Amino acid sequence: DAGITQSPRHKVTETGTPVTLRCHQTENHRYMYWYRQDPGHGLRLIHYSYGVKDTDKGEVSDGYSVSRSKTEDFLLTLESATSSQTSVYFCAISAGLAGAEQYFGPGTRLTVT
Amino acid sequence: AQSVTQLDSHVSVSEGTPVLLRCNYSSSYSPSLFWYVQHPNKGLQLLLKYTSAATLVKGINGFEAEFKKSETSFHLTKPSAHMSDAAEYFCVVSSNTGGFKTIFGAGTRLFVKA
């Protein structure tokens, strides 16, 4: 299995609080991604990174920010969590972009009450 | 614009019978196409991918898919289902022309009956 870990694996938080999810890889892959998974929607891309300090928005980026200060770490921040952000969040990595296989982490289940 | 439609939200088959999971796509550019599988409470794993080489793509665990440009389809098949194939399957279209985009279908849950 690709070396991808996500922390925390589960989190319950209250509306309006900030939340940061961490993705850590040991594969030295250039590209990293954050997705959310909701029933009936498959996975939707939130943000992705194509290098240290280089990030871009995905399909559902509103309410989320990201940072990548090291190749191995990609952080997803919800500045002020809302109930609509209750979801399962997956991190993924790849060596290339559109044509490359993505390797997924185990996921983080976030509940906003 | 890109989009992916998985035509069945649920498919139920008996063990040992063929599997067909249907996927239609729309893309303004030559896309890459993927099928991923997700077992309960797990991350996603690549089954196979198409990136403009052979139109019949073979993947892991006996799965294969055929890219049909004229029908804009990328259906996933397996000749004989196993109980371990019960999972959710996602069709994905991706391109980097005009900006990177990757779109997942809503998923098809496969049930395998003994």
Side-chain angles (χ1 to χ4, degrees), chain A residues 9 33 35 37 40-45 48 57 59 90 97-107 109, chain B residues 32 34 36 38 41-46 49 51 88 90 94-96 99-107:
Chain A
R9 294 292 315 279
Y33 313 81
Y35 293 91
Q37 183 176 26
H41 288 279
L43 276 72
R44 291 179 290 175
L45 182 65
Y48 69 100
K57 296 179 180 180
E59 183 185 355
F90 285 98
L97 202 52
E101 174 180 1
Q102 293 186 19
Y103 300 90
F104 287 81
R109 185 173 295 276
Chain B
S32 298
F34 305 80
Y36 285 87
Q38 183 180 32
N41 300 312
K42 300 283 189 185
L44 280 75
Q45 179 186 18
L46 180 72
K49 69 175 182 179
T51 55
E88 188 147 28
F90 294 96
S94 183
S95 75
N96 196 27
F100 171 66
K101 282 190 171 48
T102 185
I103 304 293
F104 280 68

Side-chain angles (χ1 to χ4, degrees), chain A residues 82-111:
Chain A
T82 67
S83 59
S84 65
Q85 294 175 312
T86 292
S87 187
V88 180
Y89 291 86
F90 285 98
C91 174
I93 64 174
S94 67
L97 202 52
E101 174 180 1
Q102 293 186 19
Y103 300 90
F104 287 81
T108 294
R109 185 173 295 276
L110 176 68
T111 302

Side-chain angles (χ1 to χ4, degrees), chain B residues 10-11 61 63 75 77 91 93 100:
Chain B
H10 299 85
V11 170
N61 300 333
F63 285 95
H75 300 336
T77 61
C91 181
V93 61
F100 171 66

Side-chain angles (χ1 to χ4, degrees), chain B residues 71-85:
Chain B
E71 299 176 11
T72 61
S73 69
F74 191 56
H75 300 336
L76 182 70
T77 61
K78 183 174 180 178
S80 176
H82 294 169
M83 296 297 290
S84 60
D85 294 328

Side-chain angles (χ1 to χ4, degrees), chain B residues 13-15 83 112-114:
Chain B
V13 300
S14 297
E15 194 173 23
M83 296 297 290
V112 182
K113 298 174 290 187

